[in-house]
Amino acid sequence: MSNQILNHFLMPITRRPEVIMVKGEGSYLWDNNGRRYLDFIQGWAVNSLGHCPEVVRRAIVEQSARLLTPSPALYNEPELELAELLSRASGLAQVFFCNCGTEANESAIKLARKWGRLHRNDAYEIITAQNAFHGRTLASMAASGKPGWESLFPPPMPGFIKVPFGNAEVVESVITAKTVAVMIEPIQGEAGVVIPPDGYLQRLRQITKRHDLLLIVDEIQTGMGRTGAAFCHQFEGIQADIMTLGKGLGGGVPIAAMLASEKASCFSYGEQGGTYNGNPLMTAVALAVSRVVLQPDFIARVGSTGRYLLERLKQLANRHECPEIRGRGLLAALRLPGEYAEEVRDRCFEHGLLINAPRPNLLRFMPALNVTIQEVDKLIEIVEESLNDLARFKGPIALSQK
Ligand SMILES: *Cc1c(COP(=O)(O)O)cnc(C)c1O
């Protein structure tokens, strides 16, 4: 089938390879031609236990035979259990469930504005970082710092102040009477796995405390064990006021959450909600997934597999003159010496490997959290083969040109 035919009824939102994915199992995906791919994208860091794991399938089958959607105005069992589990794991008092990360961030923004109205004399401005990614609704796009986004769908939602990522002193310098919160990713995922200097989140915590502001951490990509801690900000030993989760929380099904401390949790009846929010089918799956991925042993293994991945990437980087590798746990990136990441990605695809190229010179790896050492070895082998292919076609000199 040609791309034109495949795209005929679908709005064109991104360029996709001309195959249809039909089956997944663990770290592998199969297309409609029976080709197998080693998957280091995993639904965009979503399938925390790989494709179609037993845990998720069983939760879907059992819950779907019991109760799908009573109504968001009624309690259900998995929702209550999941809320308690996430609250205990994070130290945050209360949870609001929703359907995607963007909606969780939208909810966090609303909660912060409500809190500002109650406690900070109607303050509503939120300080966010350049190159941040917080989602695709109008408010979460305005909160994001993706270059070019501010002019996409004018007028942009007001109330967001941008600062460079990683510099806490600049944050303090832009605080005014209108400021209500600071919203930050502990590691910027979509920007290319950008890790801030040690102590950054601690300093943001001190500054927000000193000025009586809320600290919002967007853990949609970095949470739920991905970085080798339950939640990435815990590496700095801090407690946030608001945290958003998504992606890995559902292990492949659409669910997200916004958690808040007792101090910040200030919605009144009618101010936030949604038809599918907290529905038992999705919360039952997230509960089953969370019970696995929040186990200390499981998280420790993410850390050790992550260190192995970084070590292997470092060796590869040395062999191919790549200037930098970065990562934490199983969220990693390799910076290439030139702007040919998409060519490498496409070569890898031809060799049966799915990876992401978030920037022209950067490859990103976000495998299942239970990926094996053998699968990491296979990744390295295929990336290396693809780099060698490109060097052969184009010559190493052409490759290293910017
Ligand atoms: C993916 C992502 C989002 C948006 O989540 P969706 O489920 O796509 O709406 C927000 N913030 C971060 C850090 C993300 O990685």
Side-chain angles (χ1 to χ4, degrees), residues 44 99-103 105 133-136 185 187 189-190 218-222 244 246-247 256 364:
W44 235 259
N99 307 290
C100 70
T102 302
E103 191 185 359
N105 284 338
F133 182 80
H134 296 300
R136 292 175 177 278
E185 296 161 272
I187 293 175
E190 296 308 296
D218 178 345
E219 291 259 15
I220 289 164
Q221 188 155 151
T222 52
T244 52
K247 297 208 162 91
R364 178 169 50 162

Short mmCIF file of all heavy atoms in Angstrom, two decimals, residues 44 99-103 105 133-136 185 187 189-190 218-222 244 246-247 256 364, ligand 1:
data_model
loop_
_atom_site.label_atom_id
_atom_site.label_comp_id
_atom_site.label_asym_id
_atom_site.label_seq_id
_atom_site.Cartn_x
_atom_site.Cartn_y
_atom_site.Cartn_z
N TRP A 44 6.40 5.35 22.94
CA TRP A 44 6.90 6.61 23.53
C TRP A 44 7.03 6.48 25.05
O TRP A 44 6.41 7.22 25.81
CB TRP A 44 6.00 7.80 23.16
CG TRP A 44 6.77 8.90 22.52
CD1 TRP A 44 7.19 10.04 23.12
CD2 TRP A 44 7.24 8.95 21.17
NE1 TRP A 44 7.91 10.79 22.23
CE2 TRP A 44 7.95 10.15 21.02
CE3 TRP A 44 7.15 8.08 20.07
CZ2 TRP A 44 8.57 10.52 19.82
CZ3 TRP A 44 7.75 8.44 18.88
CH2 TRP A 44 8.45 9.65 18.77
N ASN A 99 -6.87 11.13 31.36
CA ASN A 99 -6.70 10.19 30.24
C ASN A 99 -5.38 10.30 29.51
O ASN A 99 -4.99 9.39 28.80
CB ASN A 99 -7.85 10.39 29.26
CG ASN A 99 -9.18 10.29 29.96
OD1 ASN A 99 -9.58 9.22 30.38
ND2 ASN A 99 -9.85 11.41 30.12
N CYS A 100 -4.70 11.43 29.63
CA CYS A 100 -3.39 11.56 28.98
C CYS A 100 -2.57 12.59 29.74
O CYS A 100 -3.11 13.34 30.57
CB CYS A 100 -3.53 11.97 27.51
SG CYS A 100 -4.12 13.65 27.32
N GLY A 101 -1.29 12.62 29.46
CA GLY A 101 -0.38 13.50 30.17
C GLY A 101 -0.75 14.97 30.03
O GLY A 101 -0.68 15.74 30.99
N THR A 102 -1.15 15.33 28.82
CA THR A 102 -1.53 16.72 28.59
C THR A 102 -2.65 17.15 29.54
O THR A 102 -2.61 18.23 30.12
CB THR A 102 -2.00 16.88 27.13
OG1 THR A 102 -0.95 16.46 26.26
CG2 THR A 102 -2.37 18.30 26.82
N GLU A 103 -3.63 16.26 29.69
CA GLU A 103 -4.76 16.58 30.56
C GLU A 103 -4.31 16.67 32.02
O GLU A 103 -4.84 17.48 32.79
CB GLU A 103 -5.84 15.50 30.39
CG GLU A 103 -7.16 15.84 31.03
CD GLU A 103 -8.16 14.68 30.95
OE1 GLU A 103 -7.83 13.63 30.38
OE2 GLU A 103 -9.27 14.86 31.47
N ASN A 105 -1.35 17.75 32.98
CA ASN A 105 -0.70 19.05 33.13
C ASN A 105 -1.71 20.19 33.10
O ASN A 105 -1.59 21.17 33.85
CB ASN A 105 0.35 19.25 32.03
CG ASN A 105 1.61 18.45 32.32
OD1 ASN A 105 1.88 18.11 33.47
ND2 ASN A 105 2.39 18.16 31.29
N PHE A 133 8.57 20.29 27.35
CA PHE A 133 7.39 19.73 26.68
C PHE A 133 6.37 19.34 27.74
O PHE A 133 6.64 18.48 28.56
CB PHE A 133 7.73 18.52 25.81
CG PHE A 133 6.52 17.99 25.09
CD1 PHE A 133 6.06 18.60 23.94
CD2 PHE A 133 5.81 16.91 25.60
CE1 PHE A 133 4.91 18.14 23.29
CE2 PHE A 133 4.66 16.43 24.95
CZ PHE A 133 4.22 17.05 23.80
N HIS A 134 5.20 19.98 27.70
CA HIS A 134 4.16 19.67 28.67
C HIS A 134 2.86 19.23 28.02
O HIS A 134 1.90 18.97 28.74
CB HIS A 134 3.92 20.87 29.60
CG HIS A 134 5.10 21.24 30.44
ND1 HIS A 134 5.67 20.35 31.36
CD2 HIS A 134 5.85 22.37 30.52
CE1 HIS A 134 6.70 20.95 31.96
NE2 HIS A 134 6.84 22.16 31.46
N GLY A 135 2.79 19.18 26.68
CA GLY A 135 1.57 18.67 26.07
C GLY A 135 1.04 19.56 24.96
O GLY A 135 1.68 20.54 24.58
N ARG A 136 -0.17 19.23 24.47
CA ARG A 136 -0.68 19.81 23.24
C ARG A 136 -2.03 20.52 23.34
O ARG A 136 -2.61 20.87 22.31
CB ARG A 136 -0.73 18.73 22.15
CG ARG A 136 0.64 18.27 21.73
CD ARG A 136 0.57 17.12 20.74
NE ARG A 136 1.89 16.74 20.29
CZ ARG A 136 2.58 17.35 19.32
NH1 ARG A 136 2.04 18.38 18.70
NH2 ARG A 136 3.78 16.94 18.98
N GLU A 185 10.22 19.72 34.20
CA GLU A 185 10.49 18.30 34.03
C GLU A 185 11.82 18.00 34.76
O GLU A 185 12.80 18.71 34.52
CB GLU A 185 10.69 17.95 32.56
CG GLU A 185 9.48 18.14 31.66
CD GLU A 185 9.91 18.22 30.18
OE1 GLU A 185 10.22 19.33 29.71
OE2 GLU A 185 9.95 17.17 29.51
N ILE A 187 13.91 15.72 34.12
CA ILE A 187 14.80 15.58 32.97
C ILE A 187 13.95 15.96 31.77
O ILE A 187 12.83 15.46 31.64
CB ILE A 187 15.31 14.13 32.81
CG1 ILE A 187 16.22 13.74 33.97
CG2 ILE A 187 16.03 13.95 31.47
CD1 ILE A 187 16.67 12.27 33.96
N GLY A 189 12.59 15.38 28.54
CA GLY A 189 12.57 14.21 27.66
C GLY A 189 12.53 14.55 26.19
O GLY A 189 13.45 14.23 25.43
N GLU A 190 11.47 15.26 25.77
CA GLU A 190 11.31 15.56 24.34
C GLU A 190 12.42 16.47 23.82
O GLU A 190 12.76 16.44 22.65
CB GLU A 190 9.94 16.19 24.07
CG GLU A 190 8.77 15.27 24.37
CD GLU A 190 8.90 13.91 23.71
OE1 GLU A 190 8.89 13.85 22.48
OE2 GLU A 190 9.01 12.90 24.43
N ASP A 218 6.66 17.69 36.32
CA ASP A 218 6.06 16.90 35.24
C ASP A 218 6.88 15.62 35.11
O ASP A 218 7.96 15.62 34.51
CB ASP A 218 6.07 17.73 33.95
CG ASP A 218 5.50 16.95 32.76
OD1 ASP A 218 5.36 15.71 32.85
OD2 ASP A 218 5.22 17.59 31.72
N GLU A 219 6.36 14.54 35.70
CA GLU A 219 7.05 13.24 35.69
C GLU A 219 6.39 12.29 34.69
O GLU A 219 6.45 11.07 34.86
CB GLU A 219 7.04 12.63 37.10
CG GLU A 219 7.89 13.38 38.10
CD GLU A 219 9.23 12.70 38.37
OE1 GLU A 219 9.63 11.81 37.57
OE2 GLU A 219 9.88 13.05 39.37
N ILE A 220 5.74 12.86 33.69
CA ILE A 220 5.00 12.03 32.74
C ILE A 220 5.94 11.07 32.01
O ILE A 220 5.62 9.91 31.78
CB ILE A 220 4.20 12.93 31.77
CG1 ILE A 220 3.05 13.57 32.55
CG2 ILE A 220 3.69 12.16 30.56
CD1 ILE A 220 2.42 14.75 31.87
N GLN A 221 7.13 11.56 31.68
CA GLN A 221 8.10 10.70 31.01
C GLN A 221 9.08 10.04 31.99
O GLN A 221 9.50 8.90 31.79
CB GLN A 221 8.88 11.51 29.96
CG GLN A 221 9.77 10.65 29.09
CD GLN A 221 10.07 11.27 27.73
OE1 GLN A 221 11.10 11.02 27.15
NE2 GLN A 221 9.18 12.08 27.19
N THR A 222 9.42 10.75 33.07
CA THR A 222 10.50 10.30 33.96
C THR A 222 9.99 9.49 35.15
O THR A 222 10.80 8.89 35.86
CB THR A 222 11.26 11.52 34.50
OG1 THR A 222 10.31 12.44 35.06
CG2 THR A 222 12.05 12.22 33.42
N THR A 244 2.69 15.36 37.97
CA THR A 244 1.86 14.74 36.93
C THR A 244 2.53 13.46 36.43
O THR A 244 3.76 13.39 36.32
CB THR A 244 1.61 15.70 35.76
OG1 THR A 244 2.86 16.22 35.28
CG2 THR A 244 0.71 16.85 36.18
N GLY A 246 1.92 9.99 33.55
CA GLY A 246 1.21 9.52 32.36
C GLY A 246 2.01 8.37 31.80
O GLY A 246 2.56 7.57 32.54
N LYS A 247 2.12 8.32 30.49
CA LYS A 247 2.96 7.34 29.80
C LYS A 247 3.04 5.99 30.52
O LYS A 247 2.08 5.23 30.50
CB LYS A 247 4.35 7.94 29.55
CG LYS A 247 4.27 9.16 28.61
CD LYS A 247 5.50 9.40 27.81
CE LYS A 247 5.20 10.31 26.63
NZ LYS A 247 5.37 11.73 26.89
N ALA A 256 -3.61 8.82 32.99
CA ALA A 256 -2.64 9.75 33.55
C ALA A 256 -3.17 10.20 34.91
O ALA A 256 -4.30 9.86 35.27
CB ALA A 256 -2.45 10.94 32.62
N ARG A 364 17.33 8.86 20.72
CA ARG A 364 16.84 8.61 22.08
C ARG A 364 16.38 7.16 22.21
O ARG A 364 15.84 6.58 21.28
CB ARG A 364 15.68 9.54 22.41
CG ARG A 364 15.08 9.29 23.81
CD ARG A 364 14.12 10.37 24.24
NE ARG A 364 13.12 10.64 23.22
CZ ARG A 364 11.98 11.28 23.48
NH1 ARG A 364 11.70 11.69 24.69
NH2 ARG A 364 11.12 11.49 22.51
C1 LIG B 1 4.50 12.87 26.71
C2 LIG B 1 4.60 14.01 27.65
C3 LIG B 1 3.51 14.86 27.91
C4 LIG B 1 2.19 14.73 27.20
O1 LIG B 1 1.55 13.52 27.45
P1 LIG B 1 0.40 13.00 26.46
O2 LIG B 1 -0.03 11.70 27.06
O3 LIG B 1 1.01 12.87 25.11
O4 LIG B 1 -0.68 14.01 26.47
C5 LIG B 1 3.69 15.88 28.84
N1 LIG B 1 4.86 16.03 29.48
C6 LIG B 1 5.92 15.24 29.26
C7 LIG B 1 7.19 15.46 30.01
C8 LIG B 1 5.84 14.21 28.32
O5 LIG B 1 6.90 13.44 28.06
#
